[in-house]
Amino acid sequence: MSYDSSATRARLLTAAYDEFVRVGFAGARVDRIATAASANKQAIYAYFGSKEALFDAVLADRLRVLADLVPFTPDDLAAYSGALFDALTADPGLQRLTQWKMLERPEASDQEREAHLSKAAAVAERYGVGVPVAMDAMMIALAAAQSWNMTASVIRDPLAGDPGKRIAGHRAAIVAAVAAATTALLEGPGADGRE
């Protein structure tokens, strides 16, 4: 039987994702990740070099998956926010992982910064506004998409109604709110002169 290093690396990424989502970077233990991946601890260091690099690899991997699931649409930030909402409610672990990152390692990598700036530049070009205004519009869309997972369940559904209907209603509210906010910001009076 031959050894498949790509399968080991994939198992390590999956196990690390589960561990980092559950306990964050500081609480994660390399030995638990290795055990969950049916690998040894040395494999983590061989593939990734450190726990920090493993966390970065997990985050980059999951953000790539999310980018494939939810293509960025600078022409329609409301639809983008709705699609992102769908992905984050289907897999709330990704949002939790990014929250841990912001709490424990708040600095942005060059790759993260460039990814956000390139999206803001696309929005700025589409609407003829400055990049800071475009970034504001994107931040509104991102925050709205994350709102469901950021709110306690008793508050999300205060009347304890049909959960499917409630989540669909919240999604519709997000899309409408982002459409209104970004239209006002990107197309409203004075939008073309904003920085």
Side-chain angles (χ1 to χ4, degrees):
M1 181 161 123
S2 65
Y3 179 73
D4 185 354
S5 64
S6 62
T8 301
R9 187 178 192 285
R11 285 194 320 272
L12 286 168
L13 285 171
T14 299
Y17 174 70
D18 293 342
E19 178 80 357
F20 289 133
V21 165
R22 192 173 59 79
V23 296
F25 176 76
R29 296 293 172 259
V30 172
D31 56 337
R32 284 195 304 249
I33 294 168
T35 299
S38 300
N40 61 49
K41 211 159 77 166
Q42 290 73 26
I44 291 172
Y45 297 107
Y47 287 108
F48 303 101
S50 67
K51 184 169 112 174
E52 292 83 1
L54 175 59
F55 184 89
D56 292 342
V58 167
L59 187 59
D61 179 63
R62 293 301 168 142
L63 290 176
R64 266 192 306 277
V65 168
L66 183 63
D68 289 344
L69 284 173
V70 185
F72 181 65
T73 53
D75 290 342
D76 192 348
L77 290 177
Y80 175 69
S81 188
L84 188 57
F85 171 82
D86 294 340
L88 293 175
T89 54
D91 180 7
L94 177 60
Q95 187 172 338
R96 190 171 168 102
L97 180 69
T98 58
Q99 289 168 338
W100 279 118
K101 193 236 182 252
M102 289 304 300
L103 287 170
E104 299 177 320
R105 302 174 70 208
E107 68 287 344
S109 69
D110 291 341
Q111 183 181 12
E112 288 174 284
R113 186 175 186 280
E114 181 52 40
H116 282 80
L117 283 175
S118 67
K119 289 176 182 173
V123 172
E125 181 178 336
R126 162 62 180 87
Y127 291 95
V129 297
V131 170
V133 172
M135 188 65 79
D136 288 341
M138 283 180 37
M139 289 168 54
I140 289 167
L142 292 172
Q146 297 176 56
S147 62
W148 183 264
N149 292 334
M150 296 291 292
T151 307
S153 61
V154 70
I155 297 169
R156 288 192 305 230
D157 192 8
L159 303 178
D162 175 3
K165 186 175 180 182
R166 180 66 190 110
I167 200 166
H170 187 74
R171 185 193 191 283
I174 284 170
V175 171
V178 171
T182 57
T183 297
L185 190 60
L186 298 171
E187 299 175 26
D192 58 348
R194 290 190 200 143
E195 289 191 25

